[in-house]
Tab-separated table of all heavy atoms in Angstrom:
chain	number	residue	atom	x	y	z
A	103	ARG	N	-46.538	5.194	10.700
A	103	ARG	CA	-46.136	5.229	9.260
A	103	ARG	C	-44.693	5.109	9.126
A	103	ARG	O	-43.844	5.460	9.893
A	103	ARG	CB	-46.493	6.777	8.728
A	103	ARG	CG	-47.971	7.073	8.859
A	103	ARG	CD	-48.354	8.379	8.191
A	103	ARG	NE	-47.585	9.490	8.659
A	103	ARG	CZ	-47.797	10.063	9.764
A	103	ARG	NH1	-48.872	9.772	10.600
A	103	ARG	NH2	-47.040	11.132	10.193
A	104	VAL	N	-44.279	4.541	7.929
A	104	VAL	CA	-42.880	4.404	7.465
A	104	VAL	C	-42.636	5.490	6.570
A	104	VAL	O	-43.189	5.650	5.457
A	104	VAL	CB	-42.687	3.130	6.887
A	104	VAL	CG1	-41.258	2.948	6.309
A	104	VAL	CG2	-43.022	1.918	7.698
A	105	LEU	N	-41.625	6.464	7.022
A	105	LEU	CA	-41.517	7.618	6.182
A	105	LEU	C	-40.203	7.528	5.310
A	105	LEU	O	-40.178	8.065	4.210
A	105	LEU	CB	-41.247	8.913	7.154
A	105	LEU	CG	-42.438	9.277	8.013
A	105	LEU	CD1	-42.142	10.501	8.907
A	105	LEU	CD2	-43.722	9.456	7.198
A	106	ALA	N	-39.234	6.869	5.865
A	106	ALA	CA	-37.953	6.661	4.959
A	106	ALA	C	-37.203	5.476	5.588
A	106	ALA	O	-37.324	5.147	6.810
A	106	ALA	CB	-37.193	7.851	5.036
A	107	THR	N	-36.413	4.832	4.675
A	107	THR	CA	-35.464	3.709	5.188
A	107	THR	C	-34.126	3.842	4.573
A	107	THR	O	-33.976	4.475	3.410
A	107	THR	CB	-36.088	2.368	4.857
A	107	THR	OG1	-36.147	2.178	3.418
A	107	THR	CG2	-37.497	2.194	5.460
A	108	LEU	N	-33.170	3.274	5.140
A	108	LEU	CA	-31.804	3.251	4.680
A	108	LEU	C	-31.256	1.853	5.042
A	108	LEU	O	-31.547	1.309	6.114
A	108	LEU	CB	-30.980	4.398	5.304
A	108	LEU	CG	-29.608	4.792	4.641
A	108	LEU	CD1	-29.865	5.319	3.280
A	108	LEU	CD2	-28.936	5.838	5.471
A	109	SER	N	-30.489	1.316	4.137
A	109	SER	CA	-29.992	-0.007	4.385
A	109	SER	C	-28.616	-0.028	5.170
A	109	SER	O	-28.442	-0.870	6.077
A	109	SER	CB	-29.691	-0.778	3.043
A	109	SER	OG	-30.819	-0.929	2.322
A	110	LEU	N	-27.676	0.801	4.907
A	110	LEU	CA	-26.386	0.900	5.611
A	110	LEU	C	-26.074	2.352	5.833
A	110	LEU	O	-25.664	3.038	4.885
A	110	LEU	CB	-25.238	0.219	4.791
A	110	LEU	CG	-23.961	0.081	5.486
A	110	LEU	CD1	-23.941	-0.743	6.852
A	110	LEU	CD2	-22.931	-0.441	4.688
A	111	PRO	N	-26.152	2.808	7.136
A	111	PRO	CA	-26.631	2.104	8.266
A	111	PRO	C	-28.154	1.748	8.108
A	111	PRO	O	-28.837	2.350	7.394
A	111	PRO	CB	-26.391	3.020	9.443
A	111	PRO	CG	-26.472	4.391	8.772
A	111	PRO	CD	-25.808	4.259	7.395
A	112	ARG	N	-28.577	0.783	8.930
A	112	ARG	CA	-29.955	0.437	8.973
A	112	ARG	C	-30.747	1.490	9.740
A	112	ARG	O	-30.659	1.615	10.942
A	112	ARG	CB	-30.187	-0.914	9.617
A	112	ARG	CG	-31.599	-1.415	9.572
A	112	ARG	CD	-32.122	-1.329	8.165
A	112	ARG	NE	-33.523	-1.998	8.040
A	112	ARG	CZ	-34.272	-1.759	7.103
A	112	ARG	NH1	-34.004	-0.848	6.208
A	112	ARG	NH2	-35.434	-2.362	7.030
A	113	VAL	N	-31.569	2.308	9.024
A	113	VAL	CA	-32.240	3.432	9.615
A	113	VAL	C	-33.688	3.301	9.046
A	113	VAL	O	-33.870	3.046	7.914
A	113	VAL	CB	-31.624	4.772	9.236
A	113	VAL	CG1	-32.498	5.900	9.738
A	113	VAL	CG2	-30.293	4.876	9.744
A	114	VAL	N	-34.617	3.534	9.960
A	114	VAL	CA	-36.062	3.589	9.660
A	114	VAL	C	-36.555	4.834	10.350
A	114	VAL	O	-36.470	5.050	11.517
A	114	VAL	CB	-36.829	2.385	10.128
A	114	VAL	CG1	-38.301	2.572	9.664
A	114	VAL	CG2	-36.287	1.111	9.500
A	115	VAL	N	-37.141	5.846	9.537
A	115	VAL	CA	-37.831	6.982	10.008
A	115	VAL	C	-39.287	6.814	10.216
A	115	VAL	O	-39.905	6.292	9.270
A	115	VAL	CB	-37.553	8.208	9.205
A	115	VAL	CG1	-38.236	9.468	9.825
A	115	VAL	CG2	-35.988	8.523	8.966
A	116	LEU	N	-39.843	6.936	11.348
A	116	LEU	CA	-41.288	6.588	11.630
A	116	LEU	C	-42.069	7.833	11.901
A	116	LEU	O	-41.609	8.790	12.490
A	116	LEU	CB	-41.317	5.622	12.842
A	116	LEU	CG	-40.537	4.336	12.850
A	116	LEU	CD1	-40.387	3.778	14.256
A	116	LEU	CD2	-41.137	3.372	11.843
A	117	GLY	N	-43.192	7.840	11.362
A	117	GLY	CA	-44.158	9.036	11.586
A	117	GLY	C	-45.378	8.593	12.471
A	117	GLY	O	-45.868	7.541	12.349
A	118	GLY	N	-45.592	9.428	13.461
A	118	GLY	CA	-46.692	9.225	14.354
A	118	GLY	C	-46.541	8.147	15.372
A	118	GLY	O	-47.495	7.490	15.740
Side-chain angles (χ1 to χ4, degrees):
R103 300 186 306 278
V104 178
L105 301 182
T107 65
L108 197 63
S109 296
L110 184 63
R112 182 52 171 160
V113 176
V114 182
V115 182
L116 301 167

